[in-house]
Amino acid sequence: MKFVASDKSCLTWSGDCLVVGLSEESLPLTGLLSDLNEQVSGLLQELIDETDFKAKVGSSAVIRVGGSVRKLAIVGLGAAEDLKLEGLRRAAAVAAKLAKCEKCASLGISFPIWNNSPERTTQTIAEGVTLAMHEDKRFKSDPETPKVVLSDVALLDLPGHEDALETASHVCDGVILARELVAAPPNIVTPASLAETAAAIANDHGLTLKVLEQAECEELGMGAYLGVAMASEMPPKFIHLTYTPAGTPKRKLALIGKGLTFDSGGLNIKAGAGSMIELMKMDMGGAAAVLGAAKAIAQIKPDVEVHFISAATENMISGHAMHPGDILTASNGKTIEVNNTDAEGRLTLADALVYADKLGLDAMVDLATLTGACIVALGNDLAGLFSPNDELAGALANAAEAAGEKLWRMPMEEKYFDGLKSIVADMKNTGPRPGGSITAALFLKQFVKETDWAHMDIAGPVWSEKDNAYNNPGATGYGVRTLVQWILESA
Ligand code: MN
Ligand code: MN
């Protein structure tokens, strides 16, 4: 798909499908829109009247025009004062899907400029179109190829913003990588293949990669991580990818992703309806977001040093599996009584956090499909944000808002750590059911000493069965856009 930031307007562009974004204030038609209506012999007004179009968010209508524009479509943007970047991203997805449905190869998008920022408007529209058109047919033996493919997209009245189109393209590369990693099954995406993906990013974009093998992790005393890895036939891979900018970095950051390529639950096996064992390929959604962010950041090249880390493994059962009741010692010396082998993500993250904490960072963020409790608390659309640091939490919330990824700050209620107290070890790995996402975050906090840190529990939004604007059913690539936005704002 080719994007152009065009100096043409909705009056001068010609092609298959012209999509005009209308806010409630655009009705009745005046100015440019009234001119457009005249140019198409009143068909725009006719379309509005016939469909009783009120410019509601998500609404759309299309009519055949003929001439220099084959189809004319309108997309509702709601009230102008409520329009946010995410509204434009979703409207752009509606426009692209309309064009696809109408078998159009070229699309002209005429949307208002958000907040006097043509750059952000351009980037956001391009993201909405690209992500809406992404389809993953890698595992279909005979994917049908459509006769007409959307190939040319013009963003009208937004000349000269090629940089914003470039940024959008890099961000979408990252989101699509994350989606494809999450969507691929656990017999394809393994700890070794995640390390290979990291190697490909390093090779393609000049990053440095260190993969710690099992023996090196043993030397570093990563007993919590290796306890989880014990049962798998596949060796664990501790992935550490680094982006170093050309000049002096303004900040040093790390992104850490939970990388369980499959989570059976271990001996506390996931059993029965609702255990979602068949979806546990998505338990590496944190690692996928981190690698997706790496692919985007490596191409955007901000003035920030960024470390991308995942302690990748599987949680399986075998004669070597950790027992419920085992006591593991993490690389900071803390001892953990494993009272539930299905709370394995936090064990792998514990050693990854201790490792990252020693890198001399300004801040670090971990992303993890960590708890069902977070889904119970916030539903499937929102991730939970946990941080003892208000400034970092605020920066991430702002980045998520711009990125259109929903995030809600959760409390780190220290008293709840009582639920993790162990008679025999420093702590247990799970507490009581109430507040389960909070005790998980408090557990992780035990492995952070030096660095400003935030934790995102992305168990809900990493996967969606719904068709949701630019997210087609399946893996969403959640987290990549927020992370990239946060890093760019740090530069
Ligand atoms: Mn688990
Ligand atoms: Mn898990």
Side-chain angles (χ1 to χ4, degrees):
M1 215 167 4
K2 208 173 107 254
F3 284 88
V4 186
S6 173
D7 58 358
K8 293 204 168 108
S9 77
C10 61
L11 296 177
T12 53
W13 181 80
S14 64
D16 293 329
C17 186
L18 171 64
V19 179
V20 181
L22 298 181
S23 65
E24 288 167 14
E25 289 76 3
S26 314
L27 303 171
L29 301 174
T30 55
L32 187 69
L33 292 169
S34 169
D35 295 346
L36 176 64
N37 185 46
E38 246 173 66
Q39 189 169 308
V40 297
S41 318
L43 285 172
L44 175 55
Q45 187 61 51
E46 203 174 305
L47 179 63
I48 290 167
D49 293 341
E50 271 181 7
T51 59
D52 200 19
F53 189 79
K54 297 277 194 292
K56 293 247 174 319
V57 172
S59 65
S60 65
V62 60
I63 192 167
R64 188 179 168 85
V65 177
S68 62
V69 169
R70 187 154 65 84
K71 301 267 178 161
L72 172 64
I74 45 180
V75 171
L77 301 173
E81 59 170 10
D82 297 337
L83 183 63
K84 299 205 167 84
L85 279 176
E86 176 61 0
L88 282 180
R89 197 181 279 110
R90 297 176 74 92
V94 172
K97 286 184 172 176
L98 250 168
K100 184 185 169 198
C101 184
E102 298 293 329
K103 311 224 175 339
C104 295
S106 60
L107 167 65
I109 297 180
S110 174
F111 282 0
I113 288 170
W114 173 81
N115 204 20
N116 293 320
S117 177
E119 291 84 8
R120 297 310 305 272
T121 303
T122 302
Q123 182 187 334
T124 302
I125 295 172
E127 283 175 7
V129 171
T130 306
L131 296 177
M133 289 298 98
H134 169 240
E135 281 180 302
D136 187 357
K137 294 179 175 165
R138 289 171 298 162
F139 305 107
K140 303 273 191 193
S141 64
D142 188 16
E144 16 172 314
T145 33
K147 285 199 191 83
V148 183
V149 179
L150 181 59
S151 56
D152 290 283
V153 183
L155 278 54
L156 305 179
D157 282 319
L158 284 166
H161 297 291
E162 276 72 21
D163 284 3
L165 289 179
E166 284 267 295
T167 303
S169 156
H170 300 326
V171 168
C172 291
D173 272 1
V175 176
I176 288 168
L177 173 64
R179 284 180 178 179
E180 294 192 345
L181 285 171
V182 171
N187 59 341
I188 301 285
V189 168
T190 62
S193 86
L194 276 184
E196 281 162 20
T197 301
I201 297 170
N203 278 335
D204 292 351
H205 307 292
L207 275 58
T208 52
L209 174 66
K210 191 158 73 173
V211 177
L212 306 184
E213 303 294 340
Q214 177 152 354
E216 290 159 286
C217 296
E218 276 165 16
E219 274 167 40
L220 291 171
M222 295 183 171
Y225 167 43
L226 294 173
V228 176
M230 272 193 304
S232 175
E233 293 291 316
M234 299 181 189
K237 301 281 176 183
F238 189 101
I239 298 164
H240 178 187
L241 187 61
T242 309
Y243 162 76
T244 315
T248 317
K250 290 200 180 114
R251 301 243 286 160
K252 274 176 81 170
L253 307 173
L255 308 177
I256 300 140
K258 173 178 169 183
L260 266 292
T261 60
F262 184 71
D263 179 13
S264 70
L267 286 169
N268 291 105
I269 195 162
K270 292 177 188 290
S275 75
M276 297 201 297
I277 192 170
E278 74 286 356
L279 265 179
M280 282 305 133
K281 64 179 181 180
M282 70 184 186
D283 214 17
M284 36 57 73
V290 165
L291 290 175
K295 192 169 176 68
I297 288 297
Q299 296 179 80
I300 299 171
K301 303 188 196 305
D303 219 355
V304 183
E305 181 177 307
V306 193
H307 298 261
F308 307 91
I309 293 166
S310 181
T313 185
E314 291 186 310
N315 186 23
M316 297 297 281
I317 47 173
S318 78
H320 305 286
M322 62 177 172
H323 316 86
D326 274 2
I327 296 175
L328 305 174
T329 305
S331 44
N332 65 347
K334 294 213 175 167
T335 58
I336 305 155
E337 178 186 6
V338 180
N339 63 336
N340 190 329
T341 62
D342 197 11
E344 82 302 331
R346 63 196 73 180
L347 296 171
T348 65
L349 285 166
D351 282 323
L353 287 169
V354 170
Y355 176 92
D357 198 34
K358 291 176 182 159
L359 296 172
L361 305 166
D362 294 302
M364 60 183 178
V365 180
D366 79 75
L367 284 89
T369 48
L370 204 61
T371 67
C374 200
I375 306 179
V376 172
L378 297 174
N380 274 303
D381 293 350
L382 281 74
L385 170 64
F386 302 78
S387 181
N389 185 303
D390 290 343
E391 200 184 323
L392 177 57
L396 285 164
N398 286 340
E401 161 82 28
E405 293 181 320
K406 291 190 174 145
L407 192 58
W408 191 258
R409 187 158 180 204
M410 300 281 280
M412 295 196 69
E413 186 65 33
E414 283 293 339
K415 188 80 181 94
Y416 289 0
F417 191 75
D418 289 352
L420 293 173
K421 283 193 173 146
S422 162
I423 291 170
V424 288
D426 294 343
M427 69 195 97
K428 296 186 288 192
N429 71 330
T430 58
R433 279 173 63 88
S437 67
I438 300 172
T439 46
L442 291 171
F443 177 92
L444 296 180
K445 190 165 170 257
Q446 306 307 307
F447 302 92
V448 179
K449 224 165 94 186
E450 304 293 338
T451 314
D452 288 347
W453 157 76
H455 156 61
M456 288 167 63
D457 193 329
I458 61 170
V462 74
W463 183 266
S464 174
E465 306 276 321
K466 288 180 290 187
D467 195 340
N468 193 353
Y470 51 82
N471 282 331
N472 297 313
T476 59
Y478 184 95
V480 173
R481 297 199 307 278
T482 297
L483 294 174
V484 171
Q485 184 66 26
W486 173 62
I487 289 166
L488 296 185
E489 279 168 12
S490 303

